Amino acid sequence: MTRKVTKAIFPVAGLGTRFLPATKSIPKEIMTLVDRPLIQYAIDEARAAGIEEFIFVTSRGKGALEDYFDHAPQLQTALAEANKTKLLETLKATNMDDGAIAYIRQHKALGLGHAVWCARRLVGDEPFAVILTDDVIAAEKPCLQQMVEAHAETGGSVVAAMEVAPERTSAYGVLGIKKENGQIFEVSEMVEKPPAGEAPSNLAVIGRYILTPSIMQNLGSLKPGAGGEIQLTDAIAAEIGGEEGVHGFRFQGQRFDCGNKAGYLQATVAFGLARDELRDELMQYLEGMVAPRQAAE
């Protein structure tokens, strides 16, 4: 019987240099889409998937991220006294239960694989999820919930996958396909950032994983790979052909790469249009911006 996934690792130690100067004083994960920080989207997705323990791998300068999940008694009291019940409920949704959240420091920037490995003692011998907050996924059923349901069928490790343009494969970990079954497929190989023209497919790994505890052992014995970093992809690839194997999962939903400015802006527009109270005014503005350009063409 496949063990239930109840722990998730959030690697949030990065400096967010692409968003300077904003990230000079605040962690990138606190930057907002409409009115919710990127990290809140990730937490809500994890909760929907049944995650009960949240492990953050952080670095120096991430104090605001830790404060975000703390209780704010003065603010809660002010909202209650003003009878602002809706805002109060919104605020309470950001709180974490005692003991549900843990913080681990990554003291050296040695890559995603190393960041995940830093949480090995908290993971123990259980399967665990990894969520990259840069990847925000709009979906009717949250992406990680879809993956947890798939993992209950497959066991082993499951990685989220999406098709990308062939010329973009060199920016991703890319999967080779051995056998397909609907949204799920057995992985024959994983290559991190393959050179142009050498990718095994155009199916790229994006920032959602469900991994076996043996991945931690693999990470502990790895030497630096692409970019001189400890690559999570290499540790997962070592499981291919094993007893439980590695499966790719074509999730249903739209992924936004909020690790770059264009993707972040696209997500802001998309999530704004998804809000009933914002849609009409925002759409009117966007149409007003586009109309003069179309007329000029």
Side-chain angles (χ1 to χ4, degrees):
M1 181 177 177
T2 303
R3 295 184 67 176
K4 184 180 178 182
V5 181
T6 61
K7 297 180 179 181
I9 298 173
F10 301 80
V12 292
L15 297 176
T17 53
R18 291 182 182 178
F19 286 88
L20 285 170
T23 48
K24 177 183 177 181
S25 59
I26 62 169
K28 177 182 60 178
E29 297 79 17
I30 296 296
M31 294 176 62
T32 58
L33 293 180
V34 188
D35 54 7
R36 292 165 61 197
L38 294 175
I39 192 64
Q40 188 66 52
Y41 287 91
I43 289 293
D44 291 345
E45 182 179 332
R47 283 172 167 163
I51 298 300
E52 299 170 359
E53 297 182 45
F54 305 81
I55 304 165
F56 290 85
V57 182
T58 69
S59 60
R60 181 180 295 276
K62 298 286 183 173
L65 181 63
E66 298 182 17
D67 291 342
Y68 175 76
F69 291 111
D70 205 352
H71 289 249
Q74 186 176 0
L75 180 55
Q76 290 179 9
T77 298
L79 292 174
E81 290 176 349
N83 200 31
K84 296 182 177 180
T85 55
K86 189 173 182 179
L87 285 176
L88 188 60
E89 289 303 312
T90 298
L91 184 65
K92 287 181 177 179
T94 68
N95 296 337
M96 301 292 282
D97 294 334
D98 291 339
I101 192 166
Y103 300 97
I104 299 291
R105 280 286 182 97
Q106 183 187 24
H107 295 292
K108 295 181 179 179
L110 298 178
L112 174 59
H114 179 262
V116 171
W117 180 78
C118 287
R120 63 197 180 282
R121 292 187 178 87
L122 294 178
V123 167
D125 63 351
E126 300 179 36
F128 61 96
V130 176
I131 298 180
L132 306 188
T133 57
D134 280 354
D135 285 329
V136 178
I137 301 173
E140 185 173 343
K141 178 184 287 187
C143 179
L144 191 64
Q145 183 180 349
Q146 298 177 44
M147 294 178 66
V148 165
E149 293 172 1
H151 178 259
E153 298 179 20
T154 66
S157 292
V158 180
V159 298
M162 60 176 277
E163 293 186 358
V164 299
E167 63 270 19
R168 292 283 298 148
T169 53
S170 60
Y172 295 89
V174 181
L175 303 172
I177 302 173
K178 183 177 181 181
K179 184 169 59 178
E180 296 192 64
N181 181 19
Q183 290 177 261
I184 303 170
F185 58 92
E186 191 174 345
V187 174
S188 61
E189 62 179 316
M190 296 181 69
V191 184
E192 182 65 24
K193 296 181 174 62
E198 298 182 17
S201 75
N202 69 331
L203 279 171
V205 178
I206 64 104
R208 300 292 185 276
Y209 310 79
I210 295 177
L211 304 175
T212 63
S214 59
I215 294 294
M216 291 298 190
Q217 298 172 12
N218 298 345
L219 288 170
S221 60
L222 279 180
K223 294 181 179 179
E229 298 181 337
I230 303 297
Q231 296 292 342
L232 181 60
T233 300
D234 293 341
I236 300 172
E239 299 288 298
I240 295 173
E243 183 177 346
E244 294 184 288
V246 178
H247 295 84
F249 180 75
R250 291 184 175 93
F251 62 92
Q252 296 292 320
Q254 183 177 5
R255 174 252 191 176
F256 296 93
D257 181 3
C258 292
N260 68 71
K261 294 173 185 176
Y264 180 80
L265 291 172
Q266 291 164 12
T268 299
V269 172
F271 280 87
L273 291 174
R275 296 276 287 269
D276 291 340
E277 74 276 21
L278 300 175
R279 184 182 303 114
D280 291 345
E281 186 175 351
L282 180 56
M283 182 59 77
Q284 184 178 7
Y285 173 75
L286 293 172
E287 289 173 345
M289 292 284 289
V290 172
R293 179 175 295 181
Q294 292 178 334
E297 293 175 352

